[in-house]
Amino acid sequence: MRDFFLADGPVFRHGFYTTGMAYDRRERDPFPPVNVYHWGGLVLVQALLPGLQPSDVDVRLENGHLYIEGVVPRLEGRYYREERYSGPFCRRVELGVDVVPRPRVGFQDGILQVIFRRRKKA
């Protein structure tokens, strides 16, 4: 985060919001936010993707990690306040268990749901 200074030292931190500050926050807060549930023989991953359609999102499994990629469009114009994420994103989620690589994928009300079956131990 950036400090703002007067002649005698820092006066306040982020007293107003700028686009640069939004990008600072993006580096700290992964996007999209996810929940990962394990129960029985299933693993459910839910990701919050408001405003996107299923065709806007790419989901793939590699080496035990689920990758969720896409782009949140940014409207043209001068922003008075910008707090929602916009731009490209790639979220890597560790599943924590071995899964069958063919998930069921659903998308409703801005929530992506990816359901895997756990692989049975041999």
Side-chain angles (χ1 to χ4, degrees), residues 49 52-59 68-71 89 107 112:
L49 293 165
L52 295 184
Q53 299 300 317
S55 60
D56 298 330
V57 181
D58 179 41
V59 176
I68 303 170
E69 294 184 71
V71 176
F89 63 88
F107 204 98
L112 171 72

Side-chain angles (χ1 to χ4, degrees), residues 11-106:
V11 174
F12 55 88
R13 293 176 65 83
H14 293 314
F16 53 91
Y17 207 82
T18 67
T19 301
M21 293 171 197
Y23 286 98
D24 289 345
R25 195 178 85 230
R26 291 176 194 172
E27 293 172 6
R28 286 192 331 263
D29 302 333
F31 184 86
V34 299
N35 290 341
V36 180
Y37 305 92
H38 292 198
W39 80 96
L42 300 175
V43 176
L44 167 64
V45 179
Q46 291 182 320
L48 298 178
L49 293 165
L52 295 184
Q53 299 300 317
S55 60
D56 298 330
V57 181
D58 179 41
V59 176
R60 70 181 190 282
L61 182 68
E62 288 183 15
N63 301 321
H65 293 94
L66 175 66
Y67 288 85
I68 303 170
E69 294 184 71
V71 176
V72 176
R74 185 170 194 269
L75 299 176
E76 295 296 322
R78 185 172 177 190
Y79 280 74
Y80 170 72
R81 184 176 192 96
E82 183 181 17
E83 294 185 4
R84 279 188 64 191
Y85 185 91
S86 62
F89 63 88
C90 179
R91 179 74 193 264
R92 184 181 78 157
V93 180
E94 184 174 349
L95 299 176
V97 295
D98 195 21
V99 297
V100 175
R102 286 182 231 102
R104 284 188 291 153
V105 179

